[in-house]
Amino acid sequence: GYATQVVTKVVIRADLTTNIQFEMTESAITLGTEVIVVAERPMINKDETSKTSIISAETFSDLPVTSFQQVIALQAGFVTDASGEMHARGGRSNELVYLVDGVVTRDPMSGGMGTQLDKYAIQELQVLTGGFSAEYGQALSGVVNIVTKEGGTKYSGRIELESNRLNPSPYHKADALANDYMGVDANGVHKPRVDDKGLLILDIPSAYQKQTLDGTPALFPNVDYLGHLSLVLSGPVPFVPDLKVFTTARMENALSSLPWGYNKERETNMKLTYTLGNWKVSLADRRFWRAYKPYSHTWKYLPEGYPNREEQTSRDNFTINYFPSTETYYTLNAVYNYRHFRLYTPGKYANFSNDG
């Protein structure tokens, strides 16, 4: 007979073939004897024909980042401009193609990432910046391929609470800078308060005012806590065999480190997975809400005239996978995307919507 072998620490990558070689050892038939083999990561993936960077879920937990975009920005060939747009190999930001669970996710207006995704919902992220195959259509400068997590056989969870407001910024109060040029008198009129040498010529408060969340659009839950809260729950669904769930919820309230500006985000992700023999069915639902106003130095003395921005995206993904053999598989995807964006200043509104 042959001794039993168990292979551990096998790493499986999306879109790549993983081969496991066994060398069976002849032995007399005994009870309770097995051989444990630890898999080694190959130096070269023979079926990898493009320049690829692979980031695992463990890497997301180890790096001091709050979003998967920050991890992408650390990869070779990527830069982020002053407006926060990401560019790969010198290309425009809309030349990057994003795939989530094998389906292209694209903003119909700007061409960038069509939604947000909690970093704790990502199982693996692949970044392809050269030599990628024809299966990735409409990609010019790079491809970002994201595989989301599924529920496990055991219950697990995570709670993360952090705040970047432990040390208050000196810009978040009136008279923050000694040489503030403009001030506001008792009638609300902006007037020069210092001369070219920085000497005070008019004793009025600075135009830089203390920031708060008061007056910003309300997002549920409407709390004034400044910081980031993330919740994760994974495990089997009670009373339904072979059905697993993975869900995350995230809330963020932040004020700019500059004289004014804010960012409020709410996000939920849920993925149900059911396995039966060679079939696997999954249903994923994602919701994202954001209200924000980035700082503009041109409008530093008149922040009330700079536009506010609100956006809402939702994405529902229904997937059926069938594996008739070890070399063949079939995938059927049905996706619904919705995006709503609003840009407005007091008394003036412009709405942009996309259904479908």
Side-chain angles (χ1 to χ4, degrees):
Y2 295 94
T4 302
Q5 288 193 13
V6 177
V7 180
T8 62
K9 296 185 179 181
V10 178
V11 179
I12 300 176
R13 301 299 189 187
D15 293 339
L16 297 177
T17 302
T18 302
N19 294 315
I20 305 299
Q21 301 294 334
F22 290 88
E23 293 184 2
M24 305 302 291
T25 304
E26 294 184 6
S27 65
I29 298 178
T30 57
L31 298 177
T33 302
E34 66 178 15
V35 178
I36 298 178
V37 180
V38 179
E40 296 182 358
R41 182 178 178 181
M43 296 297 295
I44 300 176
N45 291 318
K46 297 180 180 179
D47 57 343
E48 185 176 302
T49 60
S50 60
K51 183 179 179 182
T52 306
S53 299
I54 300 177
I55 301 99
S56 64
E58 291 76 14
T59 303
F60 279 100
S61 300
D62 295 339
L63 291 176
V65 297
T66 58
S67 67
F68 74 89
Q69 289 92 337
Q70 293 177 339
V71 176
I72 297 175
L74 298 175
Q75 308 307 308
F78 282 80
V79 295
T80 304
D81 60 23
S83 62
E85 297 290 340
M86 193 179 307
H87 305 266
R89 301 190 304 157
R92 295 182 175 90
S93 59
N94 58 7
E95 293 177 351
L96 275 169
V97 169
Y98 295 86
L99 293 95
V100 178
D101 291 334
V103 180
V104 174
T105 302
R106 183 186 296 274
D107 188 331
M109 292 178 288
S110 65
M113 178 69 170
T115 185
Q116 184 57 269
L117 190 60
D118 192 333
K119 69 174 185 177
Y120 292 122
I122 298 176
Q123 178 64 37
E124 182 179 286
L125 185 148
Q126 294 181 342
V127 181
L128 294 78
T129 55
F132 38 84
S133 64
E135 66 176 305
Y136 303 107
Q138 304 177 1
L140 296 177
S141 60
V143 176
V144 178
N145 187 18
I146 299 173
V147 179
T148 59
K149 291 182 178 179
E150 298 178 353
T153 57
K154 298 181 179 179
Y155 291 106
S156 62
R158 180 188 184 102
I159 299 177
E160 182 178 271
L161 178 65
E162 59 184 30
S163 175
N164 59 356
R165 312 304 301 167
L166 297 178
N167 297 315
S169 170
Y171 293 104
H172 295 159
K173 58 184 179 180
D175 300 315
L177 302 177
N179 60 348
D180 283 352
Y181 177 70
M182 296 297 295
V184 182
D185 64 13
N187 298 320
V189 180
H190 289 69
K191 295 180 179 180
R193 61 186 296 270
V194 295
D195 59 18
D196 295 338
K197 298 181 180 179
L199 300 177
L200 186 67
I201 59 176
L202 187 62
D203 190 12
I204 58 176
S206 167
Y208 287 131
Q209 298 298 315
K210 182 179 180 179
Q211 286 197 90
T212 66
L213 292 174
D214 295 338
T216 60
L219 295 179
F220 179 83
N222 190 29
V223 295
D224 292 336
Y225 170 78
L226 290 173
H228 177 273
L229 174 64
S230 178
L231 305 174
V232 180
L233 179 63
S234 173
V237 177
F239 312 112
V240 184
D242 300 319
L243 181 62
K244 303 177 181 63
V245 62
F246 182 89
T247 181
T248 69
R250 183 176 66 88
M251 181 192 75
E252 181 177 352
N253 290 332
L255 295 174
S256 173
S257 298
L258 296 170
W260 52 264
Y262 67 89
N263 182 62
K264 302 171 69 174
E265 297 182 3
R266 306 290 187 268
E267 179 187 350
T268 61
N269 295 277
M270 185 182 69
K271 188 174 184 179
L272 292 168
T273 306
Y274 181 76
T275 304
L276 180 62
N278 295 337
W279 295 83
K280 185 172 75 171
V281 180
S282 62
L283 176 64
D285 176 84
R286 299 181 180 90
R287 297 289 186 267
F288 176 68
W289 301 265
R290 185 187 185 195
Y292 63 105
K293 177 160 65 172
Y295 175 77
S296 172
H297 196 64
T298 305
W299 294 82
K300 61 180 179 178
Y301 294 118
L302 292 172
E304 63 276 6
Y306 194 67
N308 295 272
R309 295 160 172 82
E310 296 180 16
E311 64 177 277
Q312 176 185 349
T313 61
S314 61
R315 175 186 173 93
D316 300 307
N317 188 4
F318 179 72
T319 304
I320 299 177
N321 294 300
Y322 175 56
F323 309 92
S325 68
T326 58
E327 299 178 351
T328 307
Y329 69 93
Y330 299 94
T331 300
L332 175 64
N333 275 307
V335 182
Y336 173 79
N337 285 318
Y338 170 83
R339 176 172 170 80
H340 177 83
F341 179 79
R342 185 168 74 145
L343 178 74
Y344 66 94
T345 53
K348 299 180 180 180
Y349 300 89
N351 290 277
F352 307 90
S353 299
N354 172 70
D355 291 295

